[in-house]
């Protein structure tokens, strides 16, 4: 009688997956994609479509919009269309090394400054939340994409 147990285990795994792959309440598209793609890898617009279906069913042009912003798949969206907001970079604000005195940096004081070059965070904080039905990223993200005019094709 192993089969029922296997089937049961499979059902549990599937429901855990479903839970994992369901956007949190008010979770934005970017945070959701980041979470889903880092756990399951990229598979076209699989997760963007799922987000749309579950959260923003009226965003019928979502995939086209993502593609126009450089996101021809979920991971490209994360690479090309958004980046972690600057306040999350480490260090979060440009910090003046203790070695630099009040008359500004000069000479030796600048050595080692590159160690303080801010970097994007390894782990994104929990989503800051967006309006229900929105496909905009939350305040944890900066949008790299700006509308642009393509000759013969109009605004993208
Ligand atoms: Zn991809
Ligand atoms: Zn978010």
């Amino acid at each position: 009688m192993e089969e029922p147990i296997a089937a049961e285990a499979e059902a549990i795994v599937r429901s855990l997956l479903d839970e994992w792959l369901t956007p949190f309440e008010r979770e934005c598209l970017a945070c959701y994609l980041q979470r889903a793609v880092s756990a399951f890898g990229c598979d076209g617009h699989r997760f963007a479509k799922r987000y749309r279906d579950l959260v923003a069913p009226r965003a019928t042009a979502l995939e086209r919009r993502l593609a126009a912003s450089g996101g021809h798949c979920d991971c490209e969206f994360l690479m090309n269309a958004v980046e972690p907001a600057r306040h999350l970079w480490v260090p979060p604000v440009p910090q003046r090394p203790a070695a630099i005195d009040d008359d500004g940096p000069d000479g030796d004081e600048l050595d080692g400054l590159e160690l303080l070059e801010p970097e994007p965070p390894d782990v994104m904080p929990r989503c800051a939340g967006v309006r229900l039905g929105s496909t905009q990223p939350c305040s944890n993200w900066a949008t790299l994409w700006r509308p642009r005019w393509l000759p013969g094709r109009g605004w993208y």
Side-chain angles (χ1 to χ4, degrees):
M1 291 298 282
E2 275 174 35
E3 276 177 29
I5 294 173
E8 198 178 317
E10 205 182 301
I12 291 171
V13 167
R14 203 175 305 125
S15 79
L16 283 176
L17 275 183
D18 273 355
E19 201 172 306
W20 181 260
L21 286 176
T22 300
F24 300 134
E25 201 181 341
R26 293 165 56 84
E27 184 176 29
C28 75
L29 175 65
C31 289
Y32 172 71
L33 289 183
Q34 154 87 28
R35 204 159 59 78
V37 169
S38 60
F40 299 99
C42 178
D43 182 10
H45 282 139
R46 176 182 171 199
F47 297 117
K49 283 187 208 159
R50 187 176 170 92
Y51 184 90
R52 195 255 319 282
D53 292 347
L54 292 171
V55 177
R58 286 195 290 178
T60 50
L62 182 63
E63 290 144 77
R64 198 157 45 87
R65 244 178 53 220
L66 295 183
S69 68
H72 297 282
C73 59
D74 294 339
C75 73
E76 282 189 7
F77 170 79
L78 293 168
M79 278 188 290
N80 299 332
V82 292
E83 67 173 11
R86 291 294 163 141
H87 69 271
L88 298 174
W89 287 41
V90 188
V93 260
Q95 286 170 13
R96 192 176 66 176
I100 295 182
D101 45 38
D102 285 337
D103 59 3
D106 48 35
D108 295 345
E109 294 172 353
L110 282 174
D111 289 347
L113 259 189
E114 56 192 357
L115 292 176
L116 289 168
E117 191 69 25
E119 290 179 12
D122 289 336
V123 181
M124 288 297 285
R126 194 183 167 94
C127 183
V130 288
R131 188 171 47 80
L132 197 64
S134 168
T135 55
Q136 296 301 310
C138 72
S139 59
N140 291 346
W141 301 90
T143 310
L144 299 176
W145 172 69
R146 295 285 177 273
R148 59 205 161 106
W149 175 265
L150 296 185
R153 303 175 72 180
W155 284 101
Y156 266 74

